[in-house]
Amino acid sequence: ASLLSLGSMIQQTKNGQNVYARALYRFSGDYTIEDILALLERNGNDRRTLYIQEQAVKAIFYLTDAPLLKGLANDDLFTFQVDIPRALRSMLDLASSDTNPNLQRWAASCI
């Protein structure tokens, strides 16, 4: 449940900077991104699984925002790397699924 709330928290910015996403990358980025990618790789077409995947895709969308990553790249403490091929495979798979149109849109936006 806490991973799913990330999508709404990460969207919020303060003075044009995404403080929540920066804090996530700084303190628990490795574990959190891995957990979110694991949610995206779940099998199933039931409503609950699709809703969970939709929220996970939203979190990835905001965590991989270009200005955010560019700002983090200039930070000396930033060492985390997102597994791009793994995330891209998941997004392509979810974008081609016709069971949830919202999930399709968010996944296509991430690509």
Side-chain angles (χ1 to χ4, degrees):
S2 60
L3 285 176
L4 299 180
S5 64
L6 280 176
S8 61
M9 288 178 58
I10 292 170
Q11 294 176 48
Q12 300 175 7
T13 60
K14 184 177 183 179
N15 298 331
Q17 292 194 352
N18 198 327
V19 257
Y20 294 109
R22 291 178 71 84
L24 182 129
Y25 273 114
R26 183 165 290 166
F27 299 113
S28 65
D30 296 338
Y31 304 112
T32 305
I33 299 293
E34 287 297 317
D35 290 344
I36 292 172
L37 290 177
L39 288 174
L40 293 176
E41 294 168 344
R42 290 175 70 174
N43 290 330
N45 287 334
D46 59 295
R47 290 178 70 185
R48 182 176 181 211
T49 301
L50 294 174
Y51 177 76
I52 289 170
Q53 288 178 331
E54 181 181 340
Q55 298 306 310
V57 169
K58 284 182 184 180
I60 290 290
F61 177 80
Y62 290 109
L63 284 172
T64 56
D65 186 40
L68 171 69
L69 293 178
K70 187 177 179 181
L72 288 171
N74 296 330
D75 192 352
D76 294 335
L77 300 175
F78 179 68
T79 59
F80 178 70
Q81 300 279 331
V82 177
D83 187 358
I84 300 295
R86 181 179 175 195
L88 189 58
R89 275 193 306 271
S90 294
M91 296 304 160
L92 285 171
D93 185 41
L94 295 172
S96 64
S97 171
D98 60 355
T99 53
N100 184 345
N102 288 332
L103 179 59
Q104 277 183 311
R105 289 184 202 114
W106 279 103
S109 298
C110 285
I111 296 172

